[in-house]
Structures are given as C-alpha cells and as structure tokens.
Amino acid sequence: MKKHIFSFLIIFIILSSLSFSYTVRRGDTLGVWVLGYPEYSIEKLIVGPQGDITVPPIGRVMAEGKTLEELEKEISLKMESYIKTNKITVGITQYAPFPVTVLGNTNVNGIVDIRAERIKLSELIGLVGGIKDISKSSYALIKAPDGSEQRVNIEWIKTGQKGEDPYIYQNYFVLFPFDYSNNINIFSEFGTSSLNYFEGMTLKSVLASINIPTNKIASNIIIIRNSEIMEVNFEKTLKEEDFVLKPGDTLIIPYNYTNKVLVFSDFGSVSLDFFQGMGIKSLITLIGSNAGISMPISQINDQITIIRGTDVIDLSLENITKGNDFLLQPGDSVLINKSQNYVYLSSEELSKRVDFEKNETMNVRTLLVKTGINESSVEEVRVNNEIYGLESMLQTGDFVQIKVKRNYVYLSGAFVQPGKVTFLPQENITLDKILAISKGFTQDFSGNLIIIEENGISKNLKVDPYDLSSFQNINILPGSTIIADTELKVAYIFGEFSDVVQYKNGQTLFELLIPFNLNESYEIRYQISDKSEVINASEKDKLEKITLSGKVFLEIAKTSSNEVIVYKAGETKVIQNKIVRLIDVFSSVNGFAPVDKGTIEIYKDGKIINKIDSQDLLNNLMLEIPQGSYVYVKPNLENSYIAVLGNINPKSIRSDVPLSLVEILSTSQIDWKNQELVYIYTEKNAEIKVNIKDIDSLRNVLVNPGSIVYVPPTEELVVYVFGEVVRPGLVTYNPGMTVLDAILKAGNVSKTAQMSTVYLFKDGPENPPVSLDLAGINKAAPVKTGMNPEIKPKDIIFVPKNALTSVVEVMSTVQMFMNFINAGFDTYQNITEIF
C-alpha cells in the first residue's frame, strides 16, 4: 500500500513540476499530498465560489489566481506548526471548464466549455464538429481577452498534414471567416458559380466544367485579377494558347449579344435588353419588376461597379438616387453587391452574427433592440474587449460581449440537479419554475423544504412532491437558499470494520454487507429501530429478509479465527485454507531446514494441544490443524532460540545462555504503559507469570534458551467520536490527546460539520456536555483559549451537522450510539486475539 501511494506521489510531483505556470481557477479540483502523512493528504479539493480551498488541519487557503508552486510554498509554511517534515505537492486532478467563443464557418457556433488547462486550435475544430465548408475558409482569426489578434492559416487541414496549431485559452474568440479568395468566381447570363481552385487550372478547363454552349459566348471573356481587368479572346483560347488562372480570379462571360446589359449581383444575375436612356435607376426597377429578383434598395451596397470594355467605373448609389442617373451603354456589365454590415454577438443566452440594414444606426442600443435584450437588464457591454456605452457606434466585424444582470437562487440537498439557478432581473421567481429547472426531487426527499432568505430569515415548508400544482403561487426571493431535506438512510458499522455507509430504499442487510466479503467466522449484531438481533454472516436467508430503514447500527465481530499462523526461527507464515493439515504447515516453512530433525508444537488459545517430533512426523502428515492455532516449528539446532510472540512483532532470539527478560522486551517495542503481564513457557511446558509493573522482580527474571515469551493483548484505551466525521466510532487514546487530535484521528470532519458547537461528554452520555467553539480551524486561525482541552479515555465527542441542533437531540443520539456499543462489549470479550 505504501509503495502504491508513493508511486502516485511521484507521478503528481512530475505533473505539478510541469504545470507550475498554470494559474488556479475557480472550480478547479486540486490534490494536496503530504509526504509521509497520508492522513493530511486529500485528492478532491474543489476551489469554491470565493476562490478558496479547505486544507486539513490548517483550514482555508486562497487558491484562485495563484500558481501551483505558490500554493505549495504557502501550505508548507502553514503546515510547519503541525508536522516535522512538510514536503507538500499540489496538483490539478480536474480542470474547471472555461469558455471559448467559436463563430463563423463551423458546424457548431457559440460558447464551448473546455475542461483542460488549454486546447489546441485543431482540437477545438474537432470539438465544434469541424469546418462546415473547408473550401470557403482559409484562415482562423483568434482574439485574446486583451484585444490582441492572431491570424492562423488552416489550409493544412485539407491535406491532413501538420501546420500552425496554436493553443486557445480562457475567454478567447475564434472566428472562421467565409473566404472566397481561393476560389474561381464565375458570372454569366448562363448562371453564377464558384469553383475550388487547383494548381494548373485554365480558362478552357473552367468553360468545359460549367457546360456553357460555346456558340453563345461572346468573342471576349473578361477576367478580373486584383482590380486589374483583362480581356481574353475566346476563339484564340480554344484553338491556340490556353489562359492559366490564379486563385481569386473572377470570370465574366458575356452573352453573345451586343445589345445587352449584364447584371451580376449577390441577389442574382440577369441579362437585360438595352434601350435608349437606360440608367442605373431604371435597371434596378426592371430587375425587381421583370426579372423576378428581389433587390431591395435598402440592402444594396452603396458602391456599384460598371465594366465598360477595359474601363472600370465606380458609382455611389446614394448620389445616383439623390441626383442625376448614370446612363448605360450596350455591352456594359454592372456589378451590384449586397450591403455587409454585421457584428458578432456573444452572451450567456446566444452567440451569433447580427446583420444591420444599410442605413440602420449601427450602435449598441440598436443591437440590443434587434436581439430582444432589455437594456435595463444589461450589466456590461464590451466591444473587442473594451467597455462600450449604449450609444457607442459599432464597426462591421466587431466582437460584442453582453453581460446580463442575473438573480440567483441556490439549491442544496435532495434536488435532481442542485446548484445555482439563474433568472432574469424582471422575472418572477416561483417554486414551480425552480423545480422545472432542477428536474424535481430525488427519491430520498423527505417532503421538508428549508428556505433561507438573503437577510438570514428561514422558514420550513412541507410539500407533496407528487402534487406540483401547489408550488405555482409560492414566490422565492432572489439570493435565497433552498435545502431539500433527505430521509436519513445511513448505516453505522463498528467492530472488525469501521465505516459509515449510505443505503438505498428497499436495500436489505445482505446487500449492505456484500462488499465486506464475510464468512462463517463473523457474527453480525444489528439494531434497526427497536429491533436488535445477532446473526452469523453465513445465514444468507435471514440477512436477505431484513430490510433497512432509518438509522442502522451494525457490529461485525470475528468469533473464530479462520487462519493458522506458523512460526519458525524468526519467519512467520499465515495459512488461510479452509482445511489446514500438518503437511501444509511443514511445507510452508521448508520443514526443519537447515537440519532434518526437530519438533512441531501446536498451540490453541495460548495452550499447547499437540507436540510432534521428527520421528512421528511421517505418521501425522494428514493431521488437521484447528483454525486459529499457532504452530511452532523448532529445528533441532546446536544452539537454542527464545521465541517472542503475542502483542508485539514476533521474532526469534538466538542464544546459548539465559537472557534477562528486560533485555528481551527492551528490543520488542512493547507497550510499557498499558502492558501488565507477560508469560514465559519453558522447554518443559512450565508457565511463569511475570508482572512487568514490578520493576525489581522484572530485573531478576532470566529466560532460558528454548523458552517462549508470550505478551498477551492489552485492553485498548479509547475515546468515542461521533457525528459529522469521516470515520465515526472508537479512536485509540494517547496521553495528552486533545479534542482536535481525536477528531483528526477519526478522519477529520465532513463538509457539513458545524465546528462552532462541538460537544464533549466528560461524565457519560446521560449528563449534559460541554460546548466547544472550534470554528477557527476552518479559517486557519488559532482556536479560542480553552476550546481545545485535553481528554481522557472513555470521553465522548459529538460533531453536529448544524448549529441549530439542540442539546437534547445530541444527548439522545449519543446515548443511542453508546447503548449500542456497550451492548456489544460482551461479544468483544469472546473474540480470541491472534498472536
């Protein structure tokens, strides 16, 4: 086990050394490991809403915003007053989710939660379902919270090869703009299309792919490349030299009529018959009335381009509508674009692109109206990570973050989804809405709700979880905390095993005991309500008929040993077979080696029950050894041994002369404070009883070679720790032990413990206890003077769940615990300790 823990420590030391630069965030789960002190190590410390963690025994430590190295140094410094060596390792066991906003040409748009320290751009693309149309995006635009931008080429994704792949962090914006710069765009009366460019693409290959009748193509084809206009002779291209295209080229293929005006637009393309006096105004009117193309003038971009031969003429639509029209000529090509005014919006409710009309006021207030967000509920507006006002103007492509004011209600206890529930400022908060969001109650809901308002006023509410109509008119104030009480379904386990186990409705005693893997060597004494009974662990039929309810008390006692211990010259073997024979014992320690002669002595309950020498061994190899026996294999060596057994580490001392009992016990780690008697069994099976409290007699006791020194078990001095601790029950007493020492030995307090009212029973459970305020330990502050007194054996400590627990209720609960434990003392007296 120690090796296993050490391996984990090495792994986390390496991980933490690689992550020292990481800054801890709210919601992260940390692990704190104290080398050599597993009782102070903990793997699940969640950084709470206030940014702190609670580290036993030093209390609360602010973690948010600090690096792991800074936390290690701070915790190590505070631990110095509790432990001698303080090698502290802090690591991340689970990252809190952080938001990244993704917009543009991806299958998923919006805010994405990332559960990692950071994420690569390629991983983020996979997380949002990939690029929607990879031919329409050649780069990603990454914006950091400080406003800095990074443009990353993503062309490598098309080939599957490695390319630039930066990391994305918390609150980053990632935009995948639609980009047509790598396409060949074709405008003609026969249709409008966009083709993916490939290396070596020519005009002839494009004409062949779009299936246009060659006899209807005009003699010259217009190619626009980076604002340069070129005319390519169609017939020469077909018969002589082909024309090589480049990415982003725009092809205008005129119809083979000289009395036409061609219109190419984002709304659609059309060829119109030219007439004398035809101008831009009449052209837009004709398109809307005769061509069947909807082209609202409010959506047309102000700049209109006329291509006349090799000339390019740029016009302002606003100037044309307010002044003189622009007259067209036969063969003109008119390029009309759609007005592009938009921003990217990100809020808790939605993330999307918002378009503005051409003449629409493009400011924050208009954006709120367009998206239905009430400006009175807006807490903050940031544009490109800078704070903006409601009248601030916006530019196309801006990133707008809107933080909306919220009202909160906190849910705890038997809700299906406990936690923080949010509502809009003007929203009426009712209990039925809360239950709809939290998906109702769990099965162990007791029917009692505790509502604690923000001003501290609390009230109890009895509800029927099967009649939700009664919740509609129950209003809840913002900031309130609602606790759904649970029925107490918990089993307290004592004896050979110590644990607190929660069980489910309808569970039986047999199902509860399955994880303990008990056999006929164990007896179960249980108390459920007023019923108490003792059952052997092998009586499955009886255990399956006992249904658990309320508080359950269990005592698991081992009534007989199911193992045989074999000792030979300092070597100890444990045999746990159902049937153990003498040949099993003899083989387990390699016989009498290094000699072939000796004796085997079998002890049961501290008395020798059989002795077999090497001459009788062959006739007794199939002799069955009773369970719980101790077998001493004694090779017949020239030198003799003194065996030391019992309530210490077994060992063998080789000696040719008698040794002082003091000398033997001084190297045996005996419990001098509690031990009183020691037994010496001589080679002739004589028993010598020695009171080691009598120092004068002890110095004069000599132990001859071949003897056995047996140290019987002592009665363990204990205190009782109950209530909100990890391992309630008996705790071994040490001289000078205080209340806090006992609580830490019980595994420390649980998260629900109320440390401001800890009860200490000095005169038994029937007399009123002393109330102690130990709340300072939660804040790493000193405990008040006199609040952590020394305790004595048999004292009782009770840690309540909340400060409202009455003394009468505490005394009743403690008496129930103690009655159960005291009733089990007779069982403990009958358990035989193994040497």
Side-chain angles (χ1 to χ4, degrees):
M1 182 65 182
K2 289 182 179 178
K3 182 178 180 182
H4 184 66
I5 294 173
F6 183 74
S7 299
F8 269 98
L9 283 174
I10 292 298
I11 292 171
F12 277 105
I13 289 170
I14 295 172
L15 287 177
S16 61
S17 67
L18 295 175
S19 306
F20 274 154
S21 60
Y22 175 72
T23 301
V24 175
R25 302 193 308 266
R26 199 173 303 179
D28 280 343
T29 303
L30 306 182
V32 177
W33 292 269
V34 186
L35 186 62
Y37 294 85
E39 65 272 22
Y40 291 145
S41 299
I42 186 168
E43 295 185 17
K44 291 185 178 180
L45 289 172
I46 299 176
V47 182
Q50 304 303 319
D52 58 0
I53 57 175
T54 301
V55 182
I58 63 178
R60 292 184 181 177
V61 176
M62 180 56 64
E64 185 183 14
K66 296 178 181 177
T67 65
L68 300 180
E69 185 178 29
E70 289 170 343
L71 272 179
E72 285 185 356
K73 290 180 180 178
E74 182 177 348
I75 295 173
S76 295
L77 186 63
K78 292 182 178 180
M79 277 282 193
E80 288 180 352
S81 58
Y82 294 92
I83 56 179
K84 294 180 180 178
T85 59
N86 56 349
K87 174 57 181 173
I88 309 296
T89 301
V90 179
I92 302 289
T93 58
Q94 183 173 339
Y95 290 99
F98 68 83
V100 172
T101 301
V102 181
L103 297 171
N105 185 21
T106 54
N107 283 296
V108 176
N109 271 220
I111 298 175
V112 182
D113 282 336
I114 308 299
R115 285 192 173 272
E117 177 185 352
R118 57 187 181 177
I119 187 171
K120 286 186 176 181
L121 176 62
S122 59
E123 296 169 341
L124 180 65
I125 292 173
L127 196 61
V128 297
I131 304 297
K132 184 181 290 185
D133 188 344
I134 191 62
S135 66
K136 294 182 179 178
S137 287
S138 61
Y139 69 95
L141 185 64
I142 301 172
K143 286 196 173 186
D146 61 3
S148 60
E149 295 184 3
Q150 183 181 4
R151 181 176 173 137
V152 180
N153 188 299
I154 59 171
E155 290 288 335
W156 55 270
I157 293 177
K158 300 176 184 178
T159 62
Q161 299 176 354
K162 289 185 178 181
E164 188 177 4
D165 199 7
Y167 282 105
I168 311 298
Y169 296 90
Q170 183 174 1
N171 293 324
Y172 271 43
F173 285 93
V174 184
L175 174 64
F176 296 88
F178 287 91
D179 175 22
Y180 296 96
S181 62
N182 203 34
N183 289 359
I184 300 296
N185 301 308
I186 304 167
F187 298 100
S188 75
E189 192 175 350
F190 309 98
T192 300
S193 62
S194 178
L195 300 179
N196 292 332
Y197 175 80
F198 57 84
E199 192 69 31
M201 196 174 193
T202 65
L203 178 57
K204 190 186 294 185
S205 62
V206 169
L207 295 174
S209 67
I210 60 178
N211 197 25
I212 296 177
T214 57
N215 61 338
K216 293 185 178 182
I217 297 177
S219 59
N220 286 330
I221 295 174
I222 298 171
I223 298 176
I224 303 174
R225 177 178 295 167
N226 297 329
S227 300
E228 179 186 356
I229 297 178
M230 297 176 284
E231 284 190 351
V232 179
N233 185 272
F234 173 57
E235 245 182 82
K236 186 177 180 181
T237 299
L238 291 179
K239 296 179 179 179
E240 298 179 18
E241 185 179 357
D242 203 351
F243 184 86
V244 179
L245 299 174
K246 291 185 177 181
D249 281 353
T250 298
L251 277 62
I252 300 177
I253 305 176
Y255 199 74
N256 194 13
Y257 291 112
T258 58
N259 202 33
K260 293 280 186 178
V261 172
L262 303 179
V263 180
F264 305 101
S265 75
D266 294 330
F267 305 94
S269 299
V270 67
S271 174
L272 300 176
D273 291 329
F274 175 79
F275 58 85
Q276 196 65 32
M278 188 178 191
I280 295 296
K281 290 181 182 179
S282 54
L283 179 137
I284 293 175
T285 303
L286 284 171
I287 290 175
S289 60
N290 299 330
I293 297 174
S294 176
M295 189 184 292
I297 196 167
S298 62
Q299 296 182 18
I300 298 176
N301 192 38
D302 187 61
Q303 180 176 311
I304 295 178
T305 301
I306 309 296
I307 300 175
R308 181 175 290 167
T310 57
D311 296 329
V312 177
I313 306 169
D314 289 328
L315 305 173
S316 169
L317 179 61
E318 185 177 358
N319 293 338
I320 291 173
T321 55
K322 291 179 180 179
N324 296 326
D325 200 358
F326 179 84
L327 296 179
L328 299 171
Q329 296 180 6
D332 280 351
S333 295
V334 183
L335 304 182
I336 301 175
N337 295 318
K338 195 172 185 178
S339 175
Q340 296 288 324
N341 293 325
Y342 60 88
V343 296
Y344 293 103
L345 172 66
S346 173
S347 71
E348 291 185 28
E349 284 70 37
L350 72 163
S351 294
K352 67 175 185 178
R353 169 176 155 167
V354 181
D355 292 311
F356 288 79
E357 297 293 334
K358 183 174 66 173
N359 297 320
E360 193 172 10
T361 302
M362 199 168 171
N363 62 10
V364 174
R365 177 169 273 115
T366 307
L367 175 64
L368 296 178
V369 173
K370 291 176 72 68
T371 53
I373 299 175
N374 191 321
E375 64 181 62
S376 64
S377 65
V378 174
E379 182 175 323
E380 182 183 77
V381 177
R382 285 182 175 268
V383 179
N384 300 329
N385 210 39
E386 294 183 4
I387 296 178
Y388 269 45
L390 297 179
E391 301 297 337
S392 299
M393 299 303 295
L394 301 173
Q395 300 294 327
T396 296
D398 280 346
F399 288 89
V400 183
Q401 291 174 281
I402 297 179
K403 185 177 182 182
V404 180
K405 298 174 185 175
R406 290 288 189 176
N407 285 329
Y408 300 98
V409 173
Y410 302 89
L411 307 182
S412 177
F415 290 99
V416 174
Q417 289 187 353
K420 186 166 73 172
V421 181
T422 61
F423 296 89
L424 292 172
Q426 295 82 14
E427 190 173 0
N428 188 29
I429 304 175
T430 59
L431 191 54
D432 60 323
K433 288 183 181 179
I434 293 172
L435 290 178
I437 296 172
S438 65
K439 298 185 178 179
F441 303 107
T442 58
Q443 290 185 351
D444 57 352
F445 175 52
S446 66
N448 183 44
L449 287 178
I450 302 172
I451 302 174
I452 305 174
E453 296 176 354
E454 200 169 20
N455 56 11
I457 297 175
S458 63
K459 56 185 177 181
N460 284 11
L461 188 65
K462 288 289 183 181
V463 298
D464 182 0
Y466 301 103
D467 182 14
L468 301 183
S469 61
S470 61
F471 301 157
Q472 293 178 356
N473 299 321
I474 300 176
N475 292 316
I476 305 296
L477 293 177
S480 297
T481 297
I482 304 177
I483 302 172
D485 265 355
T486 58
E487 293 180 348
L488 191 60
K489 294 181 176 63
V490 62
Y492 296 93
I493 302 174
F494 303 93
E496 287 288 314
F497 302 91
S498 180
D499 203 354
V500 179
V501 179
Q502 290 187 338
Y503 62 86
K504 298 179 181 178
N505 282 333
Q507 194 169 359
T508 65
L509 186 55
F510 176 75
E511 293 170 322
L512 181 68
L513 294 172
I514 286 176
F516 296 96
N517 195 26
L518 305 178
N519 55 32
E520 65 275 2
S521 302
Y522 294 88
E523 278 188 349
I524 311 300
R525 187 171 68 87
Y526 73 89
Q527 180 176 322
I528 302 175
S529 299
D530 298 330
K531 185 179 180 181
S532 181
E533 188 179 0
V534 178
I535 304 176
N536 189 276
S538 63
E539 298 181 80
K540 177 183 175 183
D541 294 340
K542 285 187 178 181
L543 294 173
E544 287 180 332
K545 294 178 181 179
I546 301 171
T547 303
L548 307 177
S549 64
K551 292 181 181 178
V552 176
F553 297 91
L554 295 179
E555 179 189 21
I556 302 176
K558 192 171 185 180
T559 56
S560 62
S561 175
N562 58 347
E563 57 191 20
V564 172
I565 299 177
V566 184
Y567 176 81
K568 173 194 170 186
E571 181 183 6
T572 302
K573 297 287 184 180
V574 178
I575 304 176
Q576 294 181 323
N577 301 340
K578 286 189 175 181
I579 299 178
V580 180
R581 302 189 186 279
L582 187 59
I583 189 172
D584 301 322
V585 171
F586 195 68
S587 301
S588 68
V589 292
N590 198 21
F592 294 121
V595 295
D596 56 1
K597 293 183 179 180
T599 58
I600 299 175
E601 297 177 352
I602 304 172
Y603 292 83
K604 178 73 173 177
D605 298 332
K607 297 181 180 178
I608 188 168
I609 60 173
N610 205 340
K611 183 175 181 180
I612 301 168
D613 58 24
S614 50
Q615 295 179 350
D616 298 330
L617 181 62
L618 293 177
N619 298 326
N620 291 279
L621 287 176
M622 300 308 294
L623 176 68
E624 187 173 330
I625 309 298
Q627 297 285 353
S629 297
Y630 176 85
V631 181
Y632 183 25
V633 178
K634 301 170 60 176
N636 187 10
L637 302 173
E638 181 179 352
N639 297 314
S640 299
Y641 289 85
I642 298 174
V644 184
L645 310 171
N647 190 31
I648 52 174
N649 294 328
K651 66 178 181 178
S652 178
I653 302 174
R654 187 169 183 174
S655 177
D656 298 323
V657 297
L659 297 178
S660 166
L661 182 58
V662 174
E663 181 183 354
I664 294 172
L665 296 179
S666 63
T667 60
S668 302
Q669 298 181 351
I670 190 171
D671 185 2
W672 291 95
K673 183 175 181 63
N674 298 315
Q675 192 72 41
E676 292 187 358
L677 298 177
V678 171
Y679 295 87
I680 301 174
Y681 297 94
T682 67
E683 281 188 309
K684 297 180 180 180
N685 296 330
E687 181 184 86
I688 302 173
K689 184 176 180 181
V690 181
N691 185 347
I692 64 173
K693 297 295 185 183
D694 186 351
I695 302 301
D696 294 334
S697 300
L698 183 62
R699 291 195 182 102
N700 299 323
V701 176
L702 296 177
V703 180
N704 292 314
S707 299
I708 297 175
V709 178
Y710 174 62
V711 180
T714 61
E715 180 182 354
E716 191 173 22
L717 300 179
V718 296
V719 294
Y720 307 96
V721 183
F722 300 131
E724 297 301 305
V725 292
V726 176
R727 296 188 297 274
L730 282 66
V731 172
T732 304
Y733 172 79
N734 295 324
M737 177 182 280
T738 66
V739 172
L740 273 178
D741 294 335
I743 291 174
L744 288 174
K745 274 203 168 187
N748 209 341
V749 295
S750 64
K751 293 181 179 178
T752 57
Q754 181 61 42
M755 294 295 287
S756 62
T757 51
V758 175
Y759 295 97
L760 172 63
F761 291 81
K762 301 288 290 185
D763 303 312
E766 63 279 352
N767 294 312
V770 176
S771 178
L772 304 173
D773 182 1
L774 300 176
I777 194 68
N778 291 332
K779 302 176 182 177
V783 176
K784 295 178 181 178
T785 304
M787 290 291 110
N788 186 29
E790 287 193 12
I791 54 178
K792 296 180 179 179
K794 308 298 183 181
D795 279 355
I796 305 168
I797 299 168
F798 183 82
V799 181
K801 190 169 186 178
N802 59 63
L804 302 179
T805 307
S806 66
V807 175
V808 175
E809 183 181 349
V810 170
M811 293 179 65
S812 174
T813 302
V814 171
Q815 286 180 16
M816 186 184 302
F817 273 99
M818 293 306 299
N819 289 339
F820 181 79
I821 291 176
N822 291 335
F825 279 163
D826 292 339
T827 305
Y828 281 117
Q829 297 294 332
N830 296 326
I831 298 175
T832 302
E833 295 287 346
I834 304 301
F835 291 163

